[in-house]
Amino acid sequence: MRTFTDKVAVVTGAASGIGQALAQALHNEGAQVAASDITPITAAPGIHTYHLDVADRDAIYAHAEQVAADLGRVDIVINNAGVALKATVQAMTDEDFRWLMDINFWGVVNGSRAFLPHLTKSRGHLVNISSVFGLIGVPTQSAYNAAKFAVRGFTESLRQEMRLTHTGVGVTCVHPGGVKTNIARNARSTDDFESSFEKIARTTPEKAAQTILNGIRRDKARVLIGPDAHVIDALPRLFASGYQTLIGPFVRGLTR
């Protein structure tokens, strides 16, 4: 997919951050954009906005049919909506764990499955947002790690299925590093997660969006966002499981 002109693009979690930047960037490049979020969206004229709770499976399937009916087709789907939770395994509640998994994992799975028939018709492209925490395990991020590792495995498997069955559907898994978004501000946390996150968030949402769009153009299997993502991707390659001895002191330094 070399151009986005006249393509129909679906972006979840589009009220702020990477999702908002993606919706605007796609609109600027001539795409018809269906932007959704659970909170109200402020978008440029011409961007179609929808209320959507990605934790609601039935709502996602209804959304897929509604977008296809409204815009005639679907060429690109970016499952971007996500939340954060910072807590140890022992401290987190079952309710918080389910809340995160319903959005970060099942939202991606159901978003992928609901739109796949439409993407197959258009020979389109699916993008699922994982994280650098889908590449390494981090203390106090077990729930987030679990969801993002699962998104990675699901997406990589799906890409292979699409290629083996010659559907023409491209599939990309995205691993952002620290991006300046509201995810930490809106996180459920047992301490001041926002201030520690801001220490490492160096990439703008606009830069992240352009990196993702370039990944779609090149049909990349994996997209890393930010220099920190490239460093983190290298850690398990260089040190295997030994990377875990490096992560603990780094995380403690962020919380001081």
Side-chain angles (χ1 to χ4, degrees):
M1 189 176 296
R2 299 299 180 184
T3 178
F4 302 117
T5 303
D6 296 327
K7 303 296 185 184
V8 175
V10 176
V11 182
T12 68
S16 64
I18 296 174
Q20 184 179 56
L22 279 165
Q24 186 62 56
L26 285 160
H27 176 68
N28 291 346
E29 296 205 26
Q32 295 189 74
V33 180
S36 67
D37 207 298
I38 196 170
T39 60
I41 298 174
T42 302
I47 294 179
H48 304 262
T49 61
Y50 299 82
H51 178 270
L52 178 66
D53 178 1
V54 298
D56 184 336
R57 177 191 179 279
D58 292 342
I60 292 177
Y61 276 80
H63 180 59
E65 297 308 311
Q66 187 65 60
V67 171
D70 290 347
L71 302 181
R73 57 186 286 142
V74 178
D75 300 290
I76 302 164
V77 173
I78 305 177
N79 288 308
N80 165 76
V83 293
L85 167 63
K86 182 181 181 184
T88 65
V89 171
Q90 290 180 303
M92 84 172 85
T93 66
D94 290 346
E95 190 278 328
D96 281 347
F97 203 161
R98 282 192 295 269
W99 167 75
L100 183 138
M101 293 299 291
D102 283 347
I103 296 169
N104 289 10
F105 177 60
W106 286 111
V108 170
V109 171
N110 291 325
S112 300
R113 286 164 55 86
F115 280 101
L116 267 178
H118 302 287
L119 292 174
T120 300
K121 288 179 183 178
S122 66
R123 299 177 70 84
H125 202 102
L126 173 70
V127 177
N128 289 334
I129 307 296
S130 177
S131 167
V132 291
F133 287 2
L135 302 172
I136 60 169
V138 178
T140 73
Q141 293 295 319
S142 57
Y144 195 78
N145 279 144
K148 294 304 186 177
F149 268 85
V151 166
R152 173 188 168 189
F154 171 81
T155 306
E156 291 181 359
S157 176
L158 178 58
R159 178 181 172 90
Q160 294 175 63
E161 290 177 9
M162 294 296 98
R163 292 172 71 87
L164 289 170
T165 53
H166 306 289
T167 62
V169 177
V171 180
T172 298
C173 191
V174 177
H175 298 272
V179 180
K180 296 180 183 296
T181 71
N182 292 330
I183 191 168
R185 185 176 303 124
N186 299 327
R188 296 185 182 183
S189 176
T190 54
D191 61 18
D192 185 8
F193 184 34
E194 182 180 353
S195 62
S196 60
F197 179 79
E198 287 179 351
K199 294 178 183 179
I200 61 172
R202 295 289 181 265
T203 303
T204 66
E206 292 74 21
K207 175 63 176 176
Q210 287 302 322
T211 303
I212 292 168
L213 296 190
N214 288 338
I216 296 173
R217 289 188 180 95
R218 297 169 60 189
D219 188 25
K220 294 190 68 175
R222 177 181 292 184
V223 171
L224 302 173
I225 296 178
D228 51 340
H230 289 270
V231 171
I232 289 171
D233 180 54
L235 286 177
R237 301 174 190 271
L238 293 173
F239 300 103
S241 61
Y243 82 83
Q244 296 174 39
T245 62
L246 305 174
I247 295 299
F250 176 72
V251 172
R252 285 197 298 272
L254 288 177
T255 58
R256 288 172 183 165

